[in-house]
Amino acid sequence: MTKPVVLIAEELSPATIDALGPDFDVRNVDGTDRPALLSALADAHAVLVRSATQIDAEALAAAPSLKVVARAGVGLDNVDIKSATAAGVMVVNAPTSNIISAAELTVGHVLSLARRIPAAHSSLAQGLWKRSLFTGTELFEKTIGIIGLGRIGALIAARLQAFDMRVIAYDPYVTAARAQQLGVQLVSLDELLEQSDFVTIHMPKTPETTGMIGAEQLRRMKKTAYVINVARGGLIDEEALFDALTAGEIAGAGLDVFSTEPPAEGGPARKLLDLPNVVVTPHLGASTEEAQEKAGVSVARSVKLALEGDLVPDAVNVAGGAIDPFVRPGIALVEMLGQFFSGLADSALTSLDIEVRGELAAYDVSVYRLAALKGYFSRIVSESVSYVNAPLFAEQRGVEARLVVEAESPLYRNITILRGTLADGSTLTVAGTLAGTRMVPKVVAINGYDIEVPIEKHHLVMRYADRPGIVAIYGQKLGEAGINIAGLQVAAPDATGRALSVLTVDSPVPDEILGAMREAVGADLFRQIDIVRRLTRQRSGEGVAGAAPFVVSGMVLYGVFMA
């Protein structure tokens, strides 16, 4: 079997390649060489980048087999997430890989500013011994103001508390209880600026936060205060910062990031580099061996999961989030039920309820909505369908998909129900299960008919007026065609006297045989179901995904999960 192609577009740590393992065809390309990149993407299933490689709409269009873009770092400015989502390409990053490195660099800037270390070094390196010029300040009992008390902000708080600094913070999304747990006092932004001896900013760059520290905010700071930005360029208005520094409104600044990188000649950031009270570094927040290795290993693991058809916790364009091990085995079952559903529908789907009942109700099962939509659309549309773009297909076609969770489940420990309404006014319902310790996926009911059939590659479903000799009729037809029946379930007749048979066969049945069987049986419903079973190595055992459709009019599908 041909190995999936994983393209390494920038230099990554050897541990990244080791984490991928032997199951992939790993290739290398210079991501900054545009023609070479586009050519290499032609048969790539995954591409790993850092910050220099641009994965935009053009690059995505050149990669018809691409399943995942992995950024070995935090920022995603070089990846067109909107175009990737539309193409069904998962985008992952390593959001926690550099948090310790960024926090430590921030502390380094604080110390460098407090003790004037870079300027003193430069002076001494020139042969000068002017100690009086570099009198600094202690951090002891000074106030550090942290704008953005997320993971990095919390790490900085812990480290600077060891210097006996008073720590205050501004973050509208952090509760007072969380701040108290960190030993931090929450204040307004104005209060933080007015009280702090050092201000460090750790916010994401958005239209709301761009330039959030401008001339007005800088004027509120103490003349002896310093401002540090190791987060994102542009959070501080660089023109306003230059004016404040040259006018003596604040004492100094520490900058690792700039609005334009590298700072352009004649630009506002370039002017800051020449000021004696500014400490600068060339975007080194994640530039430690440990951070690079963590980022590479993290995204390598994400790539493996994505190419195995699994959901990835660090995917930025999939609304799945972290998946509990108890929930994970049911994903493939729900996807197959969605594929069954698409085949059963005689007309377009208008709404779909994914009902989860039983013990699973205590868990976050939002991923089941994605799995059901992915399964349903996999044979409905010509484009590649993934967990990423399945909700887009639903939105484009006006399909309302709703997740319903109930603890009550009288018959099964867990049951997942796909209940849909079709454009012709009919409804569909089906039922399946993961049975036993091996978690075998089974269909256990179709539109009120009770059955128990393991989901295999080839099935036949037929409904007919119940009478003796039916099994012999279709058994003879299949035998004459040399097609073996591997399994058979006949559900009891309904109130109208019609029975339902579900057969598992070893190979596809030719159309002419299907027609002869339907006529001989007198079936008002007769469908062949071809399920493409794609084994995925999930954390809780094997899963199954992919599928082909089969159609039954006016039915409802129930999906059952037996944990």
Side-chain angles (χ1 to χ4, degrees):
M1 182 181 295
T2 303
K3 294 181 179 180
V5 175
V6 176
L7 190 64
I8 309 294
E10 297 183 51
E11 185 176 353
L12 298 174
S13 69
T16 304
I17 310 302
D18 294 339
L20 285 170
D23 298 331
F24 303 100
D25 179 3
V26 180
R27 304 176 185 176
N28 292 275
V29 68
D30 180 358
T32 62
D33 184 338
R34 192 66 174 180
L37 174 67
L38 297 179
S39 176
L41 284 169
D43 55 355
H45 297 89
V47 58
L48 278 69
V49 304
R50 290 182 66 188
S51 58
T53 303
Q54 294 294 320
I55 302 297
D56 51 18
E58 180 188 33
L60 292 162
S65 301
L66 196 63
K67 304 298 181 188
V68 56
V69 175
R71 162 72 162 94
V74 179
L76 286 163
D77 298 342
N78 55 321
V79 179
D80 187 338
I81 297 174
K82 183 177 180 180
S83 295
T85 302
V89 176
M90 189 179 294
V91 178
V92 302
N93 64 348
T96 62
S97 60
N98 74 336
I99 59 174
I100 292 176
S101 295
E104 290 181 353
L105 180 63
T106 302
V107 174
H109 271 274
V110 170
L111 288 167
S112 294
L113 289 166
R115 299 306 301 269
R116 306 190 64 185
I117 295 171
H121 166 84
S122 178
S123 175
L124 184 56
Q126 295 175 40
L128 304 176
W129 189 266
K130 297 185 177 181
R131 297 172 61 193
S132 61
L133 292 179
F134 305 110
T135 301
T137 183
E138 291 182 350
L139 300 186
F140 179 69
E141 294 187 342
K142 298 298 192 301
T143 297
I144 176 76
I146 302 174
I147 302 175
L149 196 59
R151 288 170 295 194
I152 295 175
L155 290 172
I156 292 167
R159 281 149 178 76
L160 291 179
Q161 283 164 349
F163 285 84
D164 288 322
M165 295 191 78
R166 173 185 176 230
V167 183
I168 61 176
Y170 165 73
D171 192 323
Y173 302 104
V174 170
T175 64
R178 170 61 175 161
Q180 185 178 16
Q181 183 183 44
L182 296 171
V184 176
Q185 178 187 355
L186 286 179
V187 296
S188 69
L189 180 58
D190 286 347
E191 289 173 322
L192 182 146
L193 295 170
E194 292 164 359
Q195 297 178 26
S196 297
D197 297 294
F198 296 84
V199 173
T200 179
I201 183 169
H202 300 279
M203 299 288 281
K205 187 176 182 180
T206 68
E208 292 75 28
T209 61
T210 298
M212 68 178 297
I213 303 299
E216 180 182 348
Q217 288 73 33
L218 291 166
R219 280 194 294 269
R220 288 185 176 274
M221 293 176 62
K222 300 176 182 179
K223 291 184 181 297
T224 55
Y226 300 87
V227 64
I228 298 101
N229 184 12
V230 184
R232 287 285 179 268
L235 297 179
I236 300 176
D237 183 327
E238 291 166 346
E239 286 280 10
L241 178 60
F242 179 83
D243 293 341
L245 289 167
T246 53
E249 292 179 357
I250 63 173
L255 304 173
D256 184 54
V257 289
F258 306 89
S259 56
T260 301
E261 295 183 352
E265 194 67 38
R270 185 65 186 83
K271 295 189 297 182
L272 291 167
L273 306 188
D274 299 325
L275 296 180
N277 52 349
V278 175
V279 174
V280 292
T281 47
H283 204 147
L284 299 181
S287 296
T288 62
E289 292 181 3
E290 293 85 352
Q292 294 304 309
E293 184 165 312
K294 289 175 191 173
V297 170
S298 174
V299 296
R301 290 171 178 165
S302 294
V303 164
K304 290 182 69 174
L305 288 173
L307 293 183
E308 289 166 1
D310 209 344
L311 281 175
V312 181
D314 291 330
V316 300
N317 59 344
V318 176
I323 304 167
D324 191 276
F326 188 62
V327 173
R328 187 173 293 274
I331 296 173
L333 171 67
V334 177
E335 185 176 331
M336 286 190 291
L337 291 176
Q339 296 159 356
F340 267 86
F341 198 100
S342 66
L344 290 168
D346 273 340
S347 62
L349 180 66
T350 59
S351 67
L352 178 67
D353 283 354
I354 301 95
E355 300 179 15
V356 181
R357 299 179 180 273
E359 295 177 3
L360 282 168
Y363 298 83
D364 180 0
V365 291
S366 56
V367 64
Y368 284 9
R369 177 179 177 273
L370 295 177
L373 291 174
K374 180 176 183 288
Y376 174 79
F377 285 111
S378 61
R379 294 300 178 91
I380 296 294
V381 301
S382 58
E383 300 96 324
S384 175
V385 182
S386 70
Y387 293 110
V388 176
N389 61 359
L392 293 180
F393 287 121
E395 181 181 353
Q396 292 165 0
R397 287 158 178 77
V399 176
E400 181 183 356
R402 196 172 59 129
L403 184 67
V404 180
V405 179
E406 296 285 349
E408 185 178 356
S409 178
L411 299 179
Y412 299 96
R413 183 179 175 187
N414 290 288
I415 177 170
T416 303
I417 305 169
L418 305 189
R419 189 187 309 277
T421 301
L422 306 182
D424 63 6
S426 62
T427 57
L428 281 177
T429 334
V430 178
T433 186
L434 294 178
T437 57
R438 295 180 60 194
M439 294 189 176
V440 177
K442 291 185 177 181
V443 173
V444 296
I446 295 178
N447 203 35
Y449 288 101
D450 293 328
I451 57 172
E452 188 171 336
V453 178
I455 301 176
E456 299 292 348
K457 191 171 183 180
H458 306 290
H459 297 281
L460 296 177
V461 177
M462 62 189 81
R463 186 177 57 200
Y464 49 82
D466 189 38
R467 59 192 186 279
I470 295 294
V471 174
I473 292 174
Y474 56 67
Q476 180 182 1
K477 295 291 185 184
L478 291 172
E480 291 173 350
I483 296 172
N484 182 58
I485 298 176
L488 167 64
Q489 280 277 313
V490 180
D494 63 9
T496 67
R498 293 180 299 176
L500 184 82
S501 287
V502 180
L503 284 68
T504 303
V505 293
D506 288 347
S507 59
V509 182
D511 290 342
E512 60 271 19
I513 303 299
L514 292 174
M517 289 176 63
R518 178 168 192 162
E519 184 177 353
V521 171
D524 63 350
L525 160 112
F526 200 101
R527 295 293 183 268
Q528 178 165 224
I529 314 157
D530 291 326
I531 302 293
V532 179
R533 293 183 52 141
R534 174 171 51 81
L535 295 179
T536 63
R537 289 168 289 192
Q538 300 189 21
R539 295 173 192 166
S540 300
E542 289 188 339
V544 188
F550 81 101
V551 179
V552 180
S553 337
M555 290 196 151
V556 194
L557 298 186
Y558 284 83
V560 183
F561 176 79
M562 298 286 288

